[in-house]
Amino acid sequence: MNYIPDRITKVEGHSQDPYDGGELDVPTWPVEPGRYRLVAARACPWANRAIIVRTLLGLEDVVSLGLTGPTHDVRSWTFDLDPGGVDPVLGYERLQQAYFARFPDYPRGITVPAMVDVPTRAVVTNDFPWITHDLFFEWRDHHRPDAPDLWPDDCREEMEEVMRRVFTEVNNGVYRCGFAGSQEAYDAAYDRLWTALDWLEERLADRRYLMGEAITEADVRLFTTLVRFDPVYHGHFKCNRNKLSEMPVLWAYARDLFQTPGFGETIDFEQIKRHYYVVHEDINPTGIVPKGPDLAGWHAPHGRERLARSR
């Protein structure tokens, strides 16, 4: 959780989000259409957030997108999906090169998503929660006219609390189960995860989205874990009390989002499975990637639109 803290802001040194308190004490870069490249991986849930938000806000022509392949070695994510294995804008084979262009002795992991400054081909930030936050607040002048309000003022405090619980108990909770080093640690992580999922099942029973009748950042953050649950977390991470498809409310909610423009088209289940089952050699030493589960259910009617009409 130790990331490059730089932010891309509309006004140098200042945040447009009133919750930020205005002046920033981190390095800032100017908002400038065409200057930055969002490097992400469809396999990664943290990067998937940024891909979705960029799409929802209509920033495709403002911030370019570079996609790495689903697997990586100890050095870095690689651009093996591109012709010749080279990103066509940055000219790099590895995302690591963008990090080293700015920090020659960068000591930490090379993570996605990352915002890269195209003129210098150097990384700007990999601080994933702030990347999506700033795509909303700082790039507002470049949003499409009907872009959703992902950070509504009227429920901001509650949304922050919901996102905090989703992050610690669900987004990180599945990893806590998967990488537990002892039975005791796994049992505790498992119980925490399912307590949170049961809470979400109850919360979403009478509201279409986490904060009510409209999609917010909170939904984006939860979706990227839910969509990976049955293909990966249920088996690979031993989060196996039941499948997502066996939780009626969460399963319908996840399908609702999946079928919403900006969500489902960002998902590549084969890349997702290949990433987890190939990269995590300590958990899956054979490297065998499972063929299932059946994905047809993601396109089945969800019925969640009735909740909005009934309120």
Side-chain angles (χ1 to χ4, degrees), residues 78-270:
T78 54
F79 293 102
D80 45 288
L81 300 178
D82 293 307
V86 175
D87 180 88
V89 173
L90 301 174
Y92 289 149
E93 295 179 354
R94 292 177 170 273
L95 178 57
Q96 183 186 54
Q97 293 169 269
Y99 280 70
F100 286 173
R102 182 156 176 225
F103 305 105
D105 300 316
Y106 189 74
R108 299 188 291 275
I110 308 300
T111 63
V112 290
M115 293 288 276
V116 179
D117 180 45
V118 174
T120 61
R121 302 193 302 161
V123 68
V124 173
T125 181
N126 61 342
D127 199 342
F128 67 91
W130 286 112
I131 288 175
T132 55
H133 172 281
D134 290 343
L135 286 176
F136 179 76
F137 283 101
E138 307 301 328
W139 293 81
R140 271 180 160 170
D141 291 346
H142 307 285
H143 292 180
R144 59 182 173 85
D146 58 344
D149 183 1
L150 297 179
W151 295 77
D153 289 338
D154 60 353
C155 61
R156 178 67 180 270
E157 257 183 66
E158 184 187 4
M159 190 176 88
E160 296 278 6
E161 292 174 7
V162 168
M163 291 194 300
R164 191 157 38 247
R165 186 170 182 183
V166 165
F167 175 69
T168 59
E169 305 303 302
V170 181
N171 301 147
N172 266 352
V174 292
Y175 284 87
R176 200 179 292 115
C177 290
F179 290 107
S182 69
Q183 188 68 51
E184 183 180 30
Y186 166 75
D187 290 347
Y190 179 97
D191 291 343
R192 283 179 64 177
L193 171 66
W194 287 104
T195 296
L197 289 174
D198 287 340
W199 163 67
L200 288 166
E201 181 85 351
E202 182 177 347
R203 180 180 179 89
L204 288 162
D206 61 355
R207 64 181 82 197
R208 186 170 183 181
Y209 305 111
L210 279 173
M211 303 314 302
E213 297 181 13
I215 290 170
T216 65
E217 172 88 7
D219 298 296
V220 176
R221 296 184 178 194
L222 177 57
F223 172 78
T224 58
T225 296
L226 295 183
V227 79
R228 288 162 174 75
F229 200 88
D230 288 2
V232 176
Y233 303 143
H234 177 269
H236 185 59
F237 279 176
K238 306 179 183 69
C239 303
N240 62 350
R241 191 192 75 181
N242 46 258
K243 297 177 180 176
L244 175 69
S245 57
E246 295 166 346
M247 301 188 75
V249 173
L250 274 173
W251 176 223
Y253 164 80
R255 297 199 315 276
D256 187 3
L257 291 175
F258 185 86
Q259 295 169 29
T260 298
F263 285 85
E265 67 264 33
T266 72
I267 303 302
D268 187 314
F269 286 107
E270 290 307 311

Side-chain angles (χ1 to χ4, degrees), residues 16-39:
Q16 302 301 297
D17 178 4
Y19 276 72
D20 267 3
E23 297 302 316
L24 300 177
D25 59 357
V26 299
T28 59
W29 301 59
V31 165
E32 188 178 319
R35 176 170 176 175
Y36 304 100
R37 188 159 179 80
L38 171 64
V39 177

